[in-house]
Structures are given as structure tokens and as C-alpha cells.
Amino acid sequence: MRYERRQNKKKKKRRWRKLFFILLLLSASVFTYSFFLYKAGVSQSLQNAETEKVEYEFNGEKDENGWTNTLLIGSDSRGEEHARADTIMIAHYNMEKGKYKLTSIMRDTYVDIPGYGKDKINAAFAYGGPELLRKTIKENFGIDLQYYSIVDFEGFVQLIDEAFPEGIEVNVEKRMSENIGVTLEPGVQKLDGKHLLGYVRFRHDAVGDFGRVKRQQKVIKSVARELTSLETIPKLPKLVGVVTPYINTNMKTMTMLFMGKDFLGKENRDIETLRIPVDGSFENQQVSGSGSVLAIDIEKNRTALKEFLNK
């Protein structure tokens, strides 16, 4: 009996060794394939992208409440020294709760910029890059940012065209053409990357930047929904590769892949959104040297952001 038990134990050990070896081979194969797709995506974009990137200081910290907060800066400037941020967002990710949230900060929001006094928040990026913008957000809204990503708008175009060759369906609410490089007619239609970028950048109407922020959040939700409706996980490494040459970030590639796969693997992938300033917390003002600004109630907006992340 003892002999049989010893033999059974040896057989189990051999089976576990074989299983471990097979899993190791599978993991290595998946990693190699993913790396191949990633490099293919990078090579594809390098033909058109500006590869020289400015190195930025960024002393980000992980949020004490468990959120991984990433500062997203949209720009059509490739390395200009004093460019202002065209789009400012914070992507929130909580792995324990499995939640994804997005906060848009309107670029005309009038705030204290450390070392520079009061100005529009997008001026912080021009004065001191993503690090000063991080400090400005921390001082005014009390939120820690761990990562930053400066996304050239051409990267958005390349990503959309690679992931969705047939385009993204959008209900264009009015004719749009001024200062967006394309002309959009009203109605439900599928937009390629160039036209979709024009849609999310349009702000020359009665609602101005408020409409633009609303459209940006709507499109991000649509893109996220479309990504999860496709068999996208195998394509994810290439998609990351396609957009990488257009992104200046302190986030490692594997971190981006992990967050992307985690999002696509969840059953509930809803992205909750918030706009700063919130309704009832601001007024339009004219300020010498800054122009038209949104003068905000800092405490109302700080509280709204905290409640948004805690719910």
C-alpha cells in the first residue's frame, strides 16, 4: 500500500510538472505573439509619426483611496515648447472595485497655478509641462495623479482607423466645419478617424467648449463599447503599438496592456463620466491677460470630484 501511494504521488508530481511546462510554453508563445503584434503596430505608425519626444519630469503618486489616476492631455502639437493643452482629462481605474471613470476638466477653468498665480488651467501645461499641470490639479481639486499621457491627435486617428476600418457610428447633431479640417453634415453616420477627430474638436457654436467636452465623453464611451463588442483582446497589443509613437507617457507598455485587457475582460464595462466645473459652480468672466474664463467655486468642484470617485 505504501509503495502504491508513493507511486501515485510520483505520478501526480510528473503530471503537475508536465502541466506547468505546457503552461509555461503557452505563456511564452502568447507573450512572443503579443510582442510581435505590438512591434508591428509600432512599425506601422513610425512611418508617419514624429518620433522625437520631450522628456518630462513627473512626480506622480498613487491615489490613497486605491484609484490609479492618469492625466490625459490631448494636443496637436508635437513637442512645441509652450503649447497649451487642448484637452484635459483624468482617467480613473480602480482594480479592486473593477470601476472605470473619466473626468473632463474644461480648459478655460480659472484656477491657481503654483508659482504663476491665477490663469486658465490649460496654461499650466504651457508653463511647466505635465508636472505643473499635476501640481495644479492636486492643489485645486485634491487628487493625486500617478501617470500622464500626452496624446497627439494623429494617434487618435490612427487608432480609430486600425481598430474600426468601417468607422464609428455617430449621430452628428448639426453641420460642423469651422477649424476642424473636415466638413460634417448632420445625421447618423459612420466616421473614420479624421472625421471623428473633427467631431470631438468642434466648439464653434452656441454651447462652445461645453458641447465639445460632452461630445468627447460620448465618443470615448462609444469607442469603449465598440471595442468590447469585437474580438479585440487579440488585437490589443497591435493597437497599443499603433498609438505608442503618438503618445508621450511615463506608463509602461505592459501596464497599458494590463489595464486594457482588464477592461475588455470585465462584464460591466460602463465608464462613468464627470465634467469640471459641475453645473451651478461657475460663471463666465472676462479677465485681463486671460480672456474669457470659467470662474469656479473650488470647494463645490473638489467635493463633487470626491463624491464621484467614492460612489
Side-chain angles (χ1 to χ4, degrees), residues 238-292:
K238 186 175 182 182
L239 296 179
V240 172
V242 165
V243 78
T244 291
Y246 297 96
I247 293 180
N248 189 328
T249 182
N250 65 335
M251 185 183 292
K252 296 184 183 301
T253 299
M254 291 308 296
T255 302
M256 288 191 280
L257 286 170
F258 172 78
M259 289 185 180
K261 286 183 178 179
D262 193 44
F263 174 76
L264 295 176
K266 297 286 184 185
E267 290 184 6
N268 182 8
R269 308 180 187 92
D270 290 337
I271 299 176
E272 298 177 54
T273 58
L274 177 72
R275 187 204 68 215
I276 296 291
V278 296
D279 290 340
S281 72
F282 66 91
E283 61 180 30
N284 293 291
Q285 290 185 0
Q286 286 288 329
V287 176
S288 177
S290 296
S292 299

Side-chain angles (χ1 to χ4, degrees), residues 40-54:
V42 170
S43 298
Q44 178 178 314
S45 287
L46 281 178
Q47 298 175 20
N48 301 312
E50 174 64 57
T51 58
E52 186 176 347
K53 297 178 182 178
V54 178

Side-chain angles (χ1 to χ4, degrees), residues 211-233:
R212 189 176 72 115
V213 167
K214 185 176 180 179
R215 283 189 289 275
Q216 287 175 349
Q217 292 186 343
K218 181 178 76 171
V219 165
I220 287 175
K221 287 184 175 183
S222 295
V223 169
R225 185 168 57 250
E226 289 296 320
L227 281 170
T228 57
S229 69
L230 302 171
E231 295 179 357
T232 311
I233 291 180

Side-chain angles (χ1 to χ4, degrees), residues 144-158:
D144 285 307
L145 302 166
Q146 186 174 3
Y147 300 110
Y148 77 88
S149 289
I150 304 170
V151 183
D152 188 285
F153 288 137
E154 182 59 28
F156 174 83
V157 172
Q158 295 294 327

Side-chain angles (χ1 to χ4, degrees), residues 193-213:
K194 183 178 180 179
H195 288 80
L196 192 63
L197 176 62
Y199 177 73
V200 299
R201 295 194 69 189
F202 180 76
R203 64 188 186 96
H204 294 277
D205 59 6
V207 290
D209 215 29
F210 288 90
R212 189 176 72 115
V213 167

